[in-house]
Structures are given as structure tokens and as C-alpha cells.
Amino acid sequence: MKMENLIGHLKTITCHKYMVAKMCFRVGLYKQGLLHDMSKYMPIEFLVGVRYYANGKGSPNNIERKEKGYSAAWLHHKGRNRHHFEYWLDYSVDRKETHLVGSKIPKKYMVEMFIDRVCAGKVYNGDKFTTASVYDYYKHGIGRYLLHDESRRYLERLMKMYAVKGESYTLRYIRKDLKDNISKYE
């Protein structure tokens, strides 16, 4: 284990976690802000992150995936963190559909998912990050196909709002939306 990998990975995940916490606090999700991505410090995820650390040039999970054919760290992570859409995949109860479908995700986890994407973009893109890059990155991923329709519409609304109106406006909107709809997601 290289010391520079250990330090680099620890800095990266801690910086990301701190940024997510600050943004979650701004919208009133204090518990989620504090607990966000705690599993990344567990050995099954942390050691993979150190071993495959690429100094911001690639995801350690993708490198593990290429080497092994799967990522044990990712399977662990997405199964414990409700802000990932993969956590919410389930079999359809419709007998005509015999595949996995996205379940409706409670709004507070949709907000954390949005914040996670913003902060990951800031950490991994640095000076190249723009408010539009969050939605641009999303458009090229599989998530838009597997999300429940209502969850997808909400996430896309937040990302588009962020791209056009900016961070302060979007976070004020989210804070009010969560407050106005608290019974719908608790």
C-alpha cells in the first residue's frame, strides 16, 4: 500500500463528504449530511480506494471492476447508501415486466443524490466544473433509464434548475420544497 495513495484517497473522500455535509445542512438534511458516505471508511471500500487510487484520473471502483469483472467496493457502497439509485432497484411486480425497475425514491434521498452529484463534480472536475456539468454527466449515464419516472423527473428538475439558476437559488428551492412536503418523504 503506497502512502501517497492512502493520503490521496483519504483527502478525496473526506473533501467530498465535507462538501456534501455543508450542502445538506443548507437544505435542512442535517442527519444525512453527517452520515453521508460513511461506508467509504469501512475496509471493504476504503482499501479498494487506496489500492486503485488514480489521483483523480479515474474511479478506483472502475479500476477494480476492470481487473476483477466487478467491484466489491461498489456493491458494498450502493447497498448501504440510499442516495444511490441502484439502492432502489427491485424486481417489477408487473408479470409482464421480468426485469429490474426503479422504485420511487423518497425525496430526501433524491435531494442527497443531487447534492452528491454536484459535490462529486466539484471534487473530480476542479476548475472545469460548471453548474451545467452535473446534468451533462447525468445524460450519459444509465441512471436516467433505471430511475422511477417520478424520481427521474425530480432529479432532472433539480439538475436543470442548478444549471440555469445556480446553486443558491436551487438550494433555497430544495429547502422550501422539503419543508412544504415533509409528510411525503418522512
Side-chain angles (χ1 to χ4, degrees):
M1 184 181 314
K2 293 180 182 176
M3 185 56 75
E4 58 266 18
N5 284 15
L6 175 83
I7 293 168
H9 180 63
L10 185 60
K11 279 183 176 180
T12 300
I13 64 174
T14 302
C15 177
H16 171 72
K17 185 172 173 17
Y18 176 72
M19 290 173 75
V20 169
K22 279 179 42 178
M23 207 174 269
C24 279
F25 289 2
R26 287 177 66 187
V27 300
L29 294 176
Y30 305 106
K31 182 178 177 183
Q32 284 172 252
L34 292 172
L35 297 178
H36 179 82
D37 278 356
M38 287 301 291
S39 68
K40 285 188 177 183
Y41 297 93
M42 296 177 79
I44 190 168
E45 293 182 38
F46 187 78
L47 295 176
V48 166
V50 172
R51 179 175 183 192
Y52 297 105
Y53 180 71
N55 198 24
K57 294 179 178 69
S59 163
N61 293 345
N62 282 343
I63 298 168
E64 181 189 32
R65 197 173 281 115
K66 286 177 186 171
E67 184 179 292
K68 294 181 173 180
Y70 68 94
S71 172
W74 172 246
L75 293 172
H76 185 270
H77 186 75
K78 61 118 176 157
R80 283 155 184 79
N81 292 278
R82 294 176 185 193
H83 64 275
H84 288 289
F85 75 86
E86 294 90 344
Y87 179 94
W88 299 94
L89 297 179
D90 204 350
Y91 292 104
S92 172
V93 292
D94 183 346
R95 287 177 113 37
K96 295 174 195 153
E97 295 186 54
T98 57
H99 58 277
L100 292 174
V101 296
S103 302
K104 185 177 174 191
I105 304 171
K107 196 171 272 191
K108 67 180 182 178
Y109 299 117
M110 290 303 306
V111 169
E112 187 180 359
M113 181 189 302
F114 164 74
I115 290 171
D116 183 52
R117 289 168 177 266
V118 168
C119 293
K122 288 179 177 183
V123 168
Y124 296 115
N125 295 317
D127 293 341
K128 296 176 187 170
F129 177 81
T130 68
T131 56
S133 59
V134 178
Y135 185 64
D136 290 342
Y137 180 79
Y138 163 84
K139 287 189 294 189
H140 301 290
I142 194 169
R144 68 185 194 279
Y145 300 115
L146 294 174
L147 279 166
H148 183 277
D149 285 343
E150 191 174 327
S151 300
R152 179 183 38 76
R153 283 191 298 272
Y154 186 70
L155 179 62
E156 289 179 1
R157 180 182 322 130
L158 296 181
M159 290 185 294
K160 289 174 183 177
M161 183 185 302
Y162 186 79
V164 174
K165 303 231 178 193
E167 186 167 295
S168 293
Y169 180 93
T170 305
L171 295 181
R172 281 192 308 273
Y173 169 85
I174 290 169
R175 186 173 184 89
K176 183 180 182 329
D177 187 47
L178 290 175
K179 185 178 179 187
D180 291 349
N181 296 291
I182 195 151
S183 64
K184 291 182 182 177
Y185 74 91
E186 283 296 324

